[in-house]
Amino acid sequence: MTSETQPQTGAVNALVADGVIFVGGGGDGHAVPQHLLLKYANRHGLIAGATGTGKTVTLQTLAESLSQAGVPVFMSDVKGDLAGMSMPGDPAHKAHDAFVKRAAQIGAPLDYQAFPVTFWDLYGEQGHPVRATVAEMGPLLLSRLMGLSDAQEGILNIAFRIADEQGLALLDLKDLQSMLVWCGENAKEIGLRYGNITAASVGAIQRQLLVMENQGATAFFGEPALDLDDMMLTDADGRGRINVLAADRLMNAPRLYATFLLWLLSELFERLPEVGDPDKPKFVFFFDEAHLLFSDAPKSLIDKVEQVARLIRSKGVGVYFVTQNPADVPEVILGQLGNRVQHALRAFTAKDQKALQQAAENYRLNPAFDIADAIREVGTGEAVTSFLEAKGIPGMAQRTLIRPPLSRMGPITPDERKSVIARSPLGAKYDWAVDRESAHEILTARADKAAAEAEAAASREAAEKEFNKARRYDAGLNPEIGRATTRSRSTGGASRNDTLLTAFGKSMARQLGTRAGQAMVRGILGSIFRAR
């Protein structure tokens, strides 16, 4: 090993010291202890392996070590197991004896402790609500979320463009729905400038928005929107906060899950400044169940992920994809993942064997063993690892026993979760939604005003028609009114109106003596007053 990869004396026992993280070792006196260099932790990574091979333990161990190094972490808790990081490890746990044995074997202390955890939840049930505005999400990710066609995505882009031009804030789903309705109602005028908008395409988008509502997206879109700075905090001891997203329910809406994580990654890329090659990352992002992001993803989306992954490391952000098979990650992205932990892969079919061989080819050869055989044979908690060495060179593949985690393995009780959430300093900021004036309210107010004006105009027109009808009717019954009307036409200004009204009033007075006259007055005047 080079001097850069060799930790200083005591680094193994300290687990995190002198810019390195002790990941594990062989314990047989021949295998080389494996370390993740903090200065290369932003070069991204991969944690792969079949179900039950130890991916969660590796994920938990790396997150703990980064936290101890002062690096904030984000991770999604798909099975509810990672919530245990908020509590110290339990000597009564069934895996305790195995952990003690492994810790002694690889020369690592087993000092159980809790870590600073912040719980988040898109549904606001198991953590602070996570919200983003529709405008922040943007038309590209929303189109991906809804599975829109090219034509429908084009209409969504038009809606966003017009909202920007008219100063209409798109904050929640109501805003977007109202904006689409407006675009549909004004399709002819809009089409002359931006392109054709069809009612069928607008309706298709609205139906997809309804599907999103049914999946719980209404709670996600809105304010207060997530401030990324609140995820990049440290505690009083200088340990980075571990942000745990409750994703057990979210997994039932895989498109929403993948789109949210991609949005979070994109926001980090857009907002963080360039820092070059820092001594340690500013933030590390673990993308669990990574195959959900790339499954049936269009090339434009994969290109965007590849671009973000390639450039975001200069912002000091490391991205680690966690998945069952490296083949789940596109080749253009897989090539950028320098730090790798490969747990066992099962090769039951010819396709599995091919995937296993491809996984082995991604490692720097070690003459001491066959990498493909090692990937097939490693036991639970063991992995084939390769971490970047001096100058970012991939390290030689090693069979490694991953060190045990220090926090609790497994879920926590609802009361324990409530206690952690109650101690969080972010509750007052995020736990209550805010619904300020935005596109929906503005467009609704415009529509109400236009409707009121149209109703008033219609009422005036109806009243005028009723009055003219009554005048023509009475002129037929009483020639005097007809003559008065004729005379009034020969005079100007107010005198014509006065003559007509005077004659009309005299006629009414003469007819009040009869029941027929009374009925006619009620009919005529009633119509006028109702119209007014």
Side-chain angles (χ1 to χ4, degrees):
M1 297 179 63
T2 66
S3 60
E4 187 175 12
T5 60
Q6 180 63 51
Q8 302 296 320
T9 302
V12 170
N13 289 332
L15 299 182
V16 179
D18 299 321
V20 299
I21 290 173
F22 176 61
V23 179
D28 57 3
H30 301 287
V32 178
Q34 291 295 286
H35 303 86
L36 172 63
L37 301 182
L38 282 171
K39 68 178 300 183
Y40 294 130
N42 65 326
R43 299 290 182 93
H44 310 322
L46 173 72
I47 303 173
T51 300
T53 57
K55 293 194 304 296
T56 301
V57 171
T58 299
L59 176 61
Q60 188 166 336
T61 296
L62 288 180
E64 290 176 354
S65 301
L66 289 165
S67 174
Q68 288 177 319
V71 178
V73 170
F74 174 89
M75 59 206 316
S76 51
D77 191 5
V78 175
K79 297 176 291 185
D81 294 345
L82 297 175
M85 299 181 70
S86 61
M87 301 292 163
D90 185 3
H93 192 277
K94 62 182 180 180
H96 172 71
D97 292 341
F99 285 169
V100 171
K101 180 179 178 180
R102 183 183 302 178
Q105 187 176 358
I106 63 178
L110 191 60
D111 180 20
Y112 284 143
Q113 57 185 282
F115 287 81
V117 170
T118 301
F119 289 119
W120 302 92
D121 185 1
L122 262 68
Y123 302 103
E125 297 172 353
Q126 301 184 67
H128 302 307
V130 180
R131 302 183 186 90
T133 65
V134 169
E136 288 175 331
M137 184 66 70
L140 175 62
L141 290 183
L142 280 174
S143 298
R144 154 67 174 164
L145 178 58
M146 293 186 285
L148 301 184
S149 66
D150 291 342
Q152 293 161 358
E153 182 180 342
I155 292 176
L156 202 60
N157 275 283
I158 292 173
F160 272 77
R161 177 68 177 272
I162 295 175
D164 287 341
E165 291 177 349
Q166 297 195 12
L168 301 173
L170 298 178
L171 304 181
D172 51 30
L173 288 185
K174 298 195 307 294
D175 294 328
L176 184 56
Q177 290 165 336
S178 297
M179 194 70 218
L180 288 169
V181 169
W182 186 91
C183 288
E185 292 173 343
N186 297 272
K188 184 176 181 180
E189 295 79 4
I190 294 173
L192 297 175
R193 180 176 179 185
Y194 297 105
N196 189 34
I197 294 179
T198 64
S201 293
V202 172
I205 299 174
Q206 295 282 36
R207 287 193 294 273
Q208 290 301 319
L209 290 175
L210 181 61
V211 172
M212 288 173 55
E213 282 187 295
N214 293 337
Q215 292 183 350
T218 303
F220 171 58
F221 290 106
E223 291 185 313
L226 176 64
D227 184 350
L228 295 182
D229 290 338
D230 290 332
M231 282 193 169
M232 304 173 67
L233 302 174
T234 57
D235 69 357
D237 297 326
R239 296 180 300 173
R241 295 202 70 85
I242 299 175
N243 300 276
V244 177
L245 175 71
D248 48 350
R249 178 184 170 191
L250 187 59
M251 294 304 295
N252 294 325
R255 196 181 292 270
L256 177 60
Y257 169 73
T259 304
F260 163 71
L261 294 184
L262 182 56
W263 165 79
L264 184 59
L265 195 60
S266 299
E267 285 293 296
L268 287 168
F269 172 70
E270 295 291 339
R271 291 186 52 182
L272 294 179
E274 296 279 345
V275 294
D277 293 317
D279 293 334
K280 63 182 180 181
K282 296 183 65 176
F283 193 72
V284 170
F285 183 99
F286 289 96
F287 201 136
D288 202 2
E289 300 293 340
H291 67 279
L292 295 176
L293 174 61
F294 304 111
S295 178
D296 299 324
K299 186 177 183 302
S300 59
L301 184 66
I302 294 177
D303 290 343
K304 182 175 179 61
V305 177
E306 189 269 336
Q307 178 192 31
V308 171
R310 177 165 44 85
L311 299 177
I312 201 172
R313 71 183 189 186
S314 64
K315 307 290 184 82
V317 176
V319 182
Y320 288 71
F321 294 94
V322 185
T323 189
Q324 292 190 15
N325 196 313
D328 296 333
V329 182
E331 192 69 28
V332 293
I333 298 173
L334 192 62
Q336 300 181 47
L337 310 181
N339 301 297
R340 302 189 178 196
V341 179
Q342 177 65 63
H343 290 276
L345 286 178
R346 310 306 182 199
F348 298 115
T349 66
K351 183 178 179 181
D352 293 339
Q353 293 175 3
K354 183 178 180 180
L356 188 150
Q357 191 62 42
Q358 290 177 338
E361 292 172 356
N362 290 319
Y363 286 84
R364 179 179 162 190
L365 294 178
N366 187 332
F369 61 90
D370 182 272
I371 297 177
D373 289 342
I375 293 176
R376 186 186 297 109
E377 296 168 358
V378 290
T380 301
E382 187 180 7
V384 175
T385 62
S386 174
F387 296 100
L388 295 177
E389 297 180 350
K391 300 180 181 179
I393 298 173
M396 186 180 296
Q398 299 288 345
R399 290 186 64 156
T400 305
L401 287 173
I402 305 299
R403 73 168 179 83
L406 306 180
S407 55
R408 181 189 301 180
M409 286 217 35
I412 59 178
T413 67
D415 288 340
E416 289 173 329
R417 183 183 290 270
K418 289 179 181 178
S419 177
V420 173
I421 295 174
R423 295 196 303 268
S424 170
L426 301 176
K429 182 174 182 179
Y430 291 106
D431 287 352
W432 290 273
V434 175
D435 188 11
R436 63 186 174 95
E437 185 181 66
S438 50
H440 172 71
E441 288 76 16
I442 294 173
L443 292 175
T444 300
R446 289 181 185 178
D448 290 345
K449 181 179 179 181
E453 291 176 349
E455 184 179 357
S459 297
R460 288 194 299 270
E461 183 179 356
E464 183 177 350
K465 287 181 179 180
E466 290 288 344
F467 183 80
N468 291 336
K469 179 180 178 181
R471 184 178 64 185
R472 290 193 300 270
Y473 176 79
D474 194 68
L477 294 178
N478 192 336
E480 184 179 344
I481 295 180
R483 288 192 296 272
T485 303
T486 302
R487 288 195 302 269
S488 69
R489 290 173 181 167
S490 64
T491 60
S495 62
R496 293 198 298 269
N497 294 333
D498 292 344
T499 303
L500 174 62
L501 292 175
T502 301
F504 185 74
K506 291 179 179 178
S507 175
M508 292 298 103
R510 283 193 296 269
Q511 296 178 42
L512 286 177
T514 66
R515 294 183 63 184
Q518 293 172 359
M520 185 184 71
V521 171
R522 286 198 299 271
I524 295 173
L525 297 185
S527 298
I528 293 175
F529 286 123
R530 281 199 301 274
R532 288 181 180 176

